[in-house]
Structures are given as C-alpha cells and as structure tokens.
C-alpha cells in the first residue's frame, strides 16, 4: 500500500476552528481522550459499548467514503478503492492497513501498525484483550461501500492484535448473511 | 490583552503533523488522530440516550475526566515545545496572556471556535463557543436537551486554569471545575463554560 498515491483535501477554517476533510467535518484528538473514550465504552454497564463503537464507526464511514469516491472518479476499481480506504485510514493517523486480499465475499485484512495499540500502550500499558474495535467498524463500513452492499453487510472480527504480541493485527471479514 | 492569537493559530495549523514510519502521528508528547465529528457525536449521544439521566451524567463525568487529561497533557506539551518557546513565549507577558495563547492553540483542532469572555486571574474563566458540532446535532436528532452536552469544552476550559493557576504540572489537574451554563443543545444561542476553583 502506498498511501501517498491518494490525496485527501483537508481545509482548515481559522475563524471557525473547523477542519473539513473531503467535505466532512473532522477534528484532531489525542490518545488520552481517544483511549479514555474507549475505556468508558468498554466499561459501560447495561450497554454493549464495544458494539456501539464498532457500529458507529461502520455507519459514519459508510456515509463518508462514498462522498470521497464521488470527488475522486479516477478511483474506480475495487482494488483502487481498497487502496484508497487504506490510504484514508493512514491519513487519519490510524496506521498501516493491507486490504489487498479482500474480495466481495470477505477474507483477511492486516494492520502493520495500530493507533489504538500504540496509544493504549502509552497511556495504560499492555493488556490481554484485543483493542482495534474502531478498525473493525471502519473496515465493515468502507467494504460495504467498495463492494456496493448495504450498511451492516459485513462482520469484521479481529483475530490477531499487536497488543497481544502478534506481528500484526489481523481482521477476518465475513458476509453478515453467512454469520450465525 | 494584546496577544496575536491569529499568529498562534497560523503557526499551529500550518504544515503537516509529524508521523512515524508506521503512520502514527506523534506531537507535543501525545499521539493524535483525526476522526469525523459525526463519529464522536453519534457514539456518545447514542450511549447517553440509552441510559437513565443519572447514568448519563456519570458517563459525561467520565468523558469530562478523559478530556481533562487530554487537554492538560496536550496543552502542557505544546507550551513546553520548541515552537512555543521560539514563537509564542516571547509574546506572553502575563499568566492571563498564557491563557489566551492556550485558547488560541486549541482553536486549531477543528472542534469549534473558543472565545474568552471573562478572565478573573486565578479565580474564574468564562469561555463561549458559538459553533460546537454536537449541540446542533442533538437538537436535530433528539430535540432540546435538559443539560449541556459539551463535556469537551468544559474540560478544556478547566484545563487552562489548572495549567496556569493550579499547582505546577503535573499536580494541577482538577484544581478548577467547569460548568456549562448555556448550551445550544438546550436552545441557547451559544455554549458558555465557567471554570472556577
């Protein structure tokens, strides 16, 4: 994956303190907040906070990614769109993704670096649970766009994680219709 | 106050953020990432709407603490950076101007524009934000809210006072607490935050 092949138009409006990325508002946050938010959601009582995090990431990137592709008609094959999704993930600061092995039926994706692993290690230290919930949601969202499926068409499960000492994070992608 | 806040915003908003070879953004002693504002709004609002008002208040307190830690660490990292030392420190002549500089620095993260409305040295800081993202979305999706929803700005406002008037870093966090006394999600024309000891 060569993230620099793709461009992402980011505009900062200094009198409004707004950052627009390809037409959508984004903001920059540090690991103390991002990990703190994740911890709050992991510990929520009576709510499946992890599922909420994943589904929300899935939904917002399912909405965002088509608008990016509309602005970049030169990205027009599934292979190019997979590369563009990995480049977006890198641009946002979440790390390096390899999506080259994915097909409309699913497959496996790998991450060779992970913001949440790096961030959590810096803030709280090592843990024995996988942590890349955001990535699961991101992948499910963009893959539904790339393979022209409805929202929530894919289920993504992290099988390996850098947090656990694995060499990379690995995500199993399955069609939701094939899952129990 | 005569600080050139436009210059501070320009300094910290220009150029690309430094990344390591794995694409992770590290700056001012923190790891940073961009995300869609809609993500933060949706994930938090959905949690708050699923629980009782008491549980929602507890979640918001936890989020306030997370942002307070974020702001306290990030702003301290910024004010001890080489860029700050070279470009900003020469402009600062008082603790009040340091507050002003930190607020200007915050005005590059894409969270909405913070303006100082009142500063009583060592005692009280009032900040207004007219274009925060979340309140508008709460109104659109859920209607007027019974309480302010801007945990992020509350914590930022407290952190300025903690850093400048609290005990020296890292012991000052939590010296000041902040209340949101007006919020657009409650129908007010702007959001207003008051930090006091």
């Amino acid at each position: 994956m060569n993230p620099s092949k793709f461009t992402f138009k980011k505009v900062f409006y200094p009198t409004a303190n707004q950052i627009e990325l390809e037409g959508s508002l984004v903001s920059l946050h540090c690991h103390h907040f991002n990990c703190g938010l994740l911890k709050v959601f992991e510990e929520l009582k009576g709510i499946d906070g992890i599922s909420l995090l994943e589904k929300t990431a899935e939904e917002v990137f399912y909405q965002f990614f088509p608008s990016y592709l509309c602005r970049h008609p030169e990205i027009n094959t599934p292979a190019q769109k997979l590369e563009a999704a990995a480049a977006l993930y890198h641009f946002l600061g979440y790390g390096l993704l390899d999506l080259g092995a994915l097909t409309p039926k699913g497959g496996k994706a790998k991450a060779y670096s992970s913001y949440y692993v790096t961030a959590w290690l810096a803030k709280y230290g090592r843990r024995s649970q996988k942590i890349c919930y955001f990535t699961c949601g991101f992948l499910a969202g963009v893959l539904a766009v790339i393979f022209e499926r409805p929202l929530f068409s894919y289920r993504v499960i992290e099988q390996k994680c850098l947090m656990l000492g694995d060499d990379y994070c690995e995500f199993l992608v399955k069609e939701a219709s094939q899952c129990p | 106050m005569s600080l050139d806040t436009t210059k501070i915003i320009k300094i910290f908003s220009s150029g690309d953020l430094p990344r390591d070879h794995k694409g992770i953004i590290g700056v001012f002693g923190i790891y940073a990432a961009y995300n869609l504002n809609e993500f933060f709004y949706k994930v938090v609002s959905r949690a708050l709407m699923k629980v009782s008002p008491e549980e929602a208040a507890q979640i918001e307190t936890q989020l306030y603490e997370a942002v307070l830690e974020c702001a306290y660490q990030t702003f301290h990292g910024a004010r001890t950076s080489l860029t700050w030392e070279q470009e900003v420190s020469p402009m600062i002549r008082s603790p009040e101007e340091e507050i002003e500089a930190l607020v200007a620095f915050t005005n590059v993260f894409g969270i909405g524009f913070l303006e100082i409305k009142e500063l009583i040295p060592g005692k009280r800081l009032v900040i207004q934000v007219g274009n925060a993202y979340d309140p508008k979305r709460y109104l659109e999706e859920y209607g007027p809210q019974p309480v302010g929803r801007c945990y992020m700005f509350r914590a930022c406002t407290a952190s300025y006072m903690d850093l400048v008037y609290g005990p020296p870093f890292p012991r000052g966090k939590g010296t000041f607490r902040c209340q949101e006394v007006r919020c657009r999600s409650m129908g007010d024309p702007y959001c207003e935050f008051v930090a006091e000891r």
Side-chain angles (χ1 to χ4, degrees), chain A residues 42-179:
Chain A
E42 278 190 322
E43 294 172 358
L44 281 179
K45 303 246 182 341
I47 301 176
D48 184 349
I50 299 310
S51 175
L52 186 54
L53 271 174
E54 290 185 356
K55 295 287 180 201
T56 303
E58 180 175 355
E59 196 177 326
V60 296
F61 283 96
Y62 182 80
Q63 289 163 348
F64 172 81
F65 202 50
S67 64
Y68 172 72
L69 293 175
C70 279
R71 289 160 171 252
H72 297 271
E74 72 281 6
I75 304 168
N76 53 28
T77 68
Q80 288 172 329
K81 291 175 184 176
L82 286 169
E83 276 199 87
L88 169 65
Y89 185 84
H90 175 267
F91 182 87
L92 294 171
Y94 291 101
L96 296 174
L97 272 180
D98 180 356
L99 308 182
L102 294 172
T103 72
K105 290 188 177 304
K108 287 185 176 177
K110 291 179 180 175
Y112 293 100
S113 66
S114 162
Y115 172 78
Y116 276 104
V117 171
T118 303
W120 192 277
L121 286 172
K123 185 164 177 61
Y124 298 118
R126 193 161 297 276
R127 56 187 249 165
S128 56
Q129 303 133 281
K130 290 167 280 200
I131 198 171
C132 302
Y133 315 118
F134 173 80
T135 309
C136 292
F138 172 87
L139 286 173
V142 296
L143 291 176
V145 174
I146 292 166
F147 296 124
E148 300 178 353
R149 302 284 182 88
L151 183 61
F152 304 131
S153 288
Y154 289 100
R155 188 165 300 170
V156 181
I157 301 155
E158 188 177 22
Q159 291 188 311
K160 294 180 180 176
C161 185
L162 288 156
M163 180 61 83
L164 306 184
D166 294 314
D167 292 336
Y168 46 82
C169 301
E170 185 175 81
F171 302 90
L172 175 66
V173 180
K174 295 169 88 170
E175 292 175 283
S177 59
Q178 304 300 312
C179 295

